[in-house]
């Protein structure tokens, strides 16, 4: 499966849109963007021009890469959409946003984020579990950010609220080398 993921070109990136987060996470996202572009990968993301979202997109664009953003009009009260994207799709609802992101992606990568990121992550895992899609879901546990999530997911299995095969619907990676190797970014 790793070779199949490396060949995938369109990467849905779920991550936070807040600027007041640890600088290490922002730096990681700012580095990931250019590396995606150099490897010929295209991010599909929530279209924000702030936080990790903006850092990934700006990095891709700085390398003349392509980035697709999907932005719900109602979110304009909270976030600012990225005006410089290759393709910006305006939608009416969060559900429409997520569906377009899912439909235009080959693989899902979850970076540090908040409740919206968790919502998106759990939905793609659930959809994979019920066979709506079979796309890989990669959770990047950058600097241990998702350690508690990993424990929660294991607790769900241990207590019987999730089946053991649920572990097959996502992959945790803890290092940049693991993430880049899995996505084929090392060849850039």
């Amino acid at each position: 499966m790793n070779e199949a993921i490396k060949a995938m070109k369109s990467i849905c990136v779920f991550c936070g849109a807040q600027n007041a987060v640890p600088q290490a996470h922002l730096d990681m996202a700012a580095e990931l963007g250019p590396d995606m572009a150099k490897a010929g990968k295209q991010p599909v993301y929530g279209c924000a021009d702030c936080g990790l979202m903006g850092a990934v997109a700006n990095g891709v664009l700085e390398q003349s890469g392509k980035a697709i953003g999907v932005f719900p009009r109602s979110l304009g009260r909270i976030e600012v959409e990225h005006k410089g994207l290759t393709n910006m799709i305006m939608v009416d609802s969060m559900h429409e946003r997520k569906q377009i992101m899912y439909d235009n992606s080959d693989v899902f990568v979850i970076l540090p984020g908040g409740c919206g990121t968790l919502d998106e992550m759990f939905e793609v895992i659930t959809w994979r579990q019920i066979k709506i899609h079979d796309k890989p879901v990669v959770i990047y546990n950058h600097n241990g950010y998702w350690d508690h999530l990993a424990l929660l997911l294991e607790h769900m299995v241990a207590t019987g609220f999730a089946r053991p095969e649920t572990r097959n619907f996502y992959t945790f990676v803890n290092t940049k080398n693991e993430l880049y190797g899995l996505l084929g970014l090392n060849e850039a």
Side-chain angles (χ1 to χ4, degrees), residues 102-116:
Y102 302 161
D103 290 345
N104 287 281
S105 301
D106 299 317
V107 58
F108 303 99
V109 173
I110 292 79
L111 304 178
C115 292

Side-chain angles (χ1 to χ4, degrees), residues 25 53 67 71 98 122 131 179:
H25 295 311
M53 282 193 202
F71 196 78
K98 291 191 289 185
F122 277 117
K131 299 183 182 358
L179 179 66

Side-chain angles (χ1 to χ4, degrees), residues 81-150:
E81 73 271 18
H82 198 300
K83 305 282 193 219
L85 297 177
T86 313
N87 188 5
M88 181 173 60
I89 303 167
M90 296 296 281
V91 296
D92 293 320
S93 72
M94 292 295 284
H95 292 292
E96 188 179 3
R97 174 199 214 182
K98 291 191 289 185
Q99 187 67 56
I100 289 171
M101 290 170 69
Y102 302 161
D103 290 345
N104 287 281
S105 301
D106 299 317
V107 58
F108 303 99
V109 173
I110 292 79
L111 304 178
C115 292
T117 303
L118 285 171
D119 168 59
E120 293 160 335
M121 180 204 67
F122 277 117
E123 185 164 80
V124 294
I125 291 172
T126 300
W127 282 15
R128 187 155 181 217
Q129 181 178 351
I130 61 175
K131 299 183 182 358
I132 291 176
H133 75 83
D134 64 352
K135 300 173 183 181
V137 178
V138 180
I139 303 167
Y140 183 23
N141 190 25
H142 181 255
N143 287 358
Y145 183 80
W146 293 120
D147 283 349
H148 292 95
L149 174 64

